[in-house]
Amino acid sequence: MLHAMIMAGGGGTRFWPRSRSKRPKQFLTFSGNRTLLQSTVDRVSAQIPPERTWVVTGAQYADETAAQLPELPRDHIIGEPEGRDTAPCVGLGAAIIAKADPDATIAVMPADHVIEPEQEFRRALHAAEQFLADEPNKLITFGIRPTFPSTGYGYIKRGAAAGTRQGVTASQVEVFREKPEFSVAEQYVASGEYDWNSGIFVWKPGAILGELKARKPDIHAVVAKIADAWGTPEFDAVFRGTYNQAEKKSIDYAVMQDAAKEGKVLVLAAPYTWDDVGSWLALERRNPQDANYNTVQANHCGIDTNKCVIVGEPKTVIATYGVSNLLVIQDGDAILVADRKHEDKVKEIVDALKKSNRGEFT
């Protein structure tokens, strides 16, 4: 049976000041009336019912997650006592799902992506299931054909062709590359051999847990102990007392990079469009611009203003004169003004505010 495991623990700091520690990005609405988290569940709901849907989030966000997703069983919302990156998160989710359904197939996805059309995403999941039916020990990820030389995404180099299911083609993963410099990203895109790493995976719990045990046995031991307590009165105490012992490591570094070198990873060519809504320029990609190439979601009065992203609350007027290529974001008690070329550095402002004892604004 196909299960969905949704990772919803991130702080979304590159979307500051709208995204705050008490109201992270996955709980925000960027279009329509559904939050990113709700939209992620909606995307798979025709294929995966609530009883096979799981969310791993921060303990401080568990109640809000439950309020936004009342259809989910409450014990399917797993609140991490603290964030330990994606390797412990993925391992814990796989170990708990394996207890509930040892023969499960798990689709792992972040809570803050925009994917269209939804039926194409479901087709891709179906294709992944079929590949795993033939090779259950493979680890599958989805690659996105790059449309520009992004320095904010990791890259996957495709190797030998590995077949087609449901019209979706697969390749062996030759190597994972971390976020590159711009000139390197240009080379990757020009070669036609690389995909963006979407961070969406499909695998059998036994396969990912086996790889985690072989490569990071300490992390595996921690998540196995916690999963053993799932469904018992001791679960919360074991979770709180054990999880911080897991090494803080991403699943790419912990497992995927080395597993790819051993021919264990397939990348499927995503048949859908994808945006990780990682920073403020995502609004520019998803919304029309005015005659001066500004993306405006604010009560804005602009003169000689070009190529800016301007966001604010209706009760606040934002006025600009003679500026270009800026991010101007107002939300509540905070205002961000930044050169758009530094969109991926906004999280450094959050760190600086914390270090200067102004954490109440983060």
Side-chain angles (χ1 to χ4, degrees), residues 39-50:
S39 296
T40 302
V41 173
D42 293 346
R43 189 177 305 129
V44 299
S45 61
Q47 196 171 10
I48 305 172

Side-chain angles (χ1 to χ4, degrees), residues 163-227:
T164 302
R165 303 287 188 278
Q166 298 292 315
V168 178
T169 59
S171 304
Q172 294 287 341
V173 172
E174 189 170 310
V175 67
F176 285 87
R177 301 290 190 192
E178 289 306 306
K179 298 173 183 177
E181 297 293 329
F182 183 76
S183 61
V184 177
E186 284 186 311
Q187 295 172 20
Y188 289 168
V189 175
S191 75
E193 298 176 340
Y194 288 83
D195 292 335
W196 285 332
N197 183 358
S198 69
I200 301 172
F201 309 100
V202 184
W203 44 46
K204 307 292 286 186
I208 188 61
L209 289 170
E211 293 295 329
L212 191 62
K213 185 175 183 179
R215 302 174 195 283
K216 289 292 178 182
D218 292 345
I219 294 178
H220 181 273
V222 168
V223 300
K225 181 177 180 180
I226 296 169

Side-chain angles (χ1 to χ4, degrees), residues 24-347:
K25 180 176 63 171
Q26 60 267 26
F27 298 131
L28 301 179
T29 300
F30 289 95
S31 60
N33 58 6
R34 300 286 280 174
T35 66
L36 288 173
L37 174 62
Q38 290 171 327
S39 296
T40 302
V41 173
D42 293 346
R43 189 177 305 129
V44 299
S45 61
Q47 196 171 10
I48 305 172
E51 59 268 24
R52 298 201 308 270
T53 301
W54 309 72
V55 178
V56 182
T57 186
Q60 68 272 37
Y61 306 134
D63 288 344
E64 177 62 22
T65 299
Q68 291 206 5
L69 302 173
E71 69 274 20
L72 262 62
R74 188 61 176 81
D75 64 351
H76 283 210
I77 298 170
I78 302 164
E80 297 173 300
E82 61 178 85
R84 306 302 296 169
D85 216 322
T86 54
C89 170
V90 162
L92 180 60
I96 289 177
I97 292 170
K99 282 196 69 176
D101 181 2
D103 296 322
T105 297
I106 307 172
V108 180
M109 63 202 76
D112 54 0
H113 292 179
V114 174
I115 292 173
E116 295 171 335
E118 293 181 355
Q119 63 266 28
E120 289 297 276
F121 182 69
R122 293 192 288 268
R123 178 163 69 95
L125 291 182
H126 191 193
E129 284 188 280
Q130 292 185 338
F131 277 108
L132 290 178
D134 295 333
E135 297 186 89
N137 290 323
K138 290 288 189 183
L139 308 176
I140 291 178
T141 187
F142 294 110
I144 312 297
R145 293 294 188 266
T147 54
F148 63 95
S150 172
T151 60
Y153 300 148
Y155 287 75
I156 299 169
K157 186 175 184 182
R158 299 187 305 279
T164 302
R165 303 287 188 278
Q166 298 292 315
V168 178
T169 59
S171 304
Q172 294 287 341
V173 172
E174 189 170 310
V175 67
F176 285 87
R177 301 290 190 192
E178 289 306 306
K179 298 173 183 177
E181 297 293 329
F182 183 76
S183 61
V184 177
E186 284 186 311
Q187 295 172 20
Y188 289 168
V189 175
S191 75
E193 298 176 340
Y194 288 83
D195 292 335
W196 285 332
N197 183 358
S198 69
I200 301 172
F201 309 100
V202 184
W203 44 46
K204 307 292 286 186
I208 188 61
L209 289 170
E211 293 295 329
L212 191 62
K213 185 175 183 179
R215 302 174 195 283
K216 289 292 178 182
D218 292 345
I219 294 178
H220 181 273
V222 168
V223 300
K225 181 177 180 180
I226 296 169
D228 284 343
W230 184 73
T232 74
E234 291 77 35
F235 176 71
D236 287 342
V238 173
F239 200 1
R240 289 194 303 270
T242 307
Y243 198 60
N244 63 358
Q245 299 170 23
E247 181 184 2
K248 201 169 187 178
K249 202 80 169 177
S250 76
I251 194 63
D252 284 344
Y253 280 122
V255 170
M256 301 301 287
Q257 291 184 348
D258 288 337
K261 296 174 185 176
E262 298 174 6
K264 297 178 178 179
V265 184
L266 296 179
V267 56
L268 273 57
Y272 47 81
T273 62
W274 169 90
D275 196 316
D276 78 338
V277 198
S279 63
W280 283 110
L281 289 188
L283 295 187
E284 188 175 75
R285 295 191 293 270
R286 299 197 53 78
N287 292 280
Q289 282 73 57
D290 65 17
N292 295 309
Y293 305 101
N294 299 302
T295 302
V296 179
Q297 293 185 352
N299 186 356
H300 174 238
C301 178
I303 300 173
D304 192 19
T305 297
N306 302 278
K307 298 180 182 178
C308 292
V309 175
I310 301 167
V311 177
E313 297 171 305
K315 64 183 180 181
T316 302
V317 172
I318 299 177
T320 57
Y321 195 118
V323 297
S324 301
N325 299 306
L326 292 181
L327 304 176
V328 182
I329 315 295
Q330 178 272 327
D331 192 275
D333 56 5
I335 299 171
L336 167 70
V337 180
D339 190 313
R340 59 181 288 141
K341 70 182 179 183
H342 298 309
E343 57 148 351
D344 60 336
K345 305 295 185 184
V346 172
K347 59 185 178 182

Side-chain angles (χ1 to χ4, degrees), residues 13-33:
T13 51
R14 285 185 293 169
F15 256 108
W16 186 86
R18 178 174 288 179
S19 179
R20 310 281 186 110
S21 58
K22 294 181 180 179
R23 187 191 58 189
K25 180 176 63 171
Q26 60 267 26
F27 298 131
L28 301 179
T29 300
F30 289 95
S31 60
N33 58 6

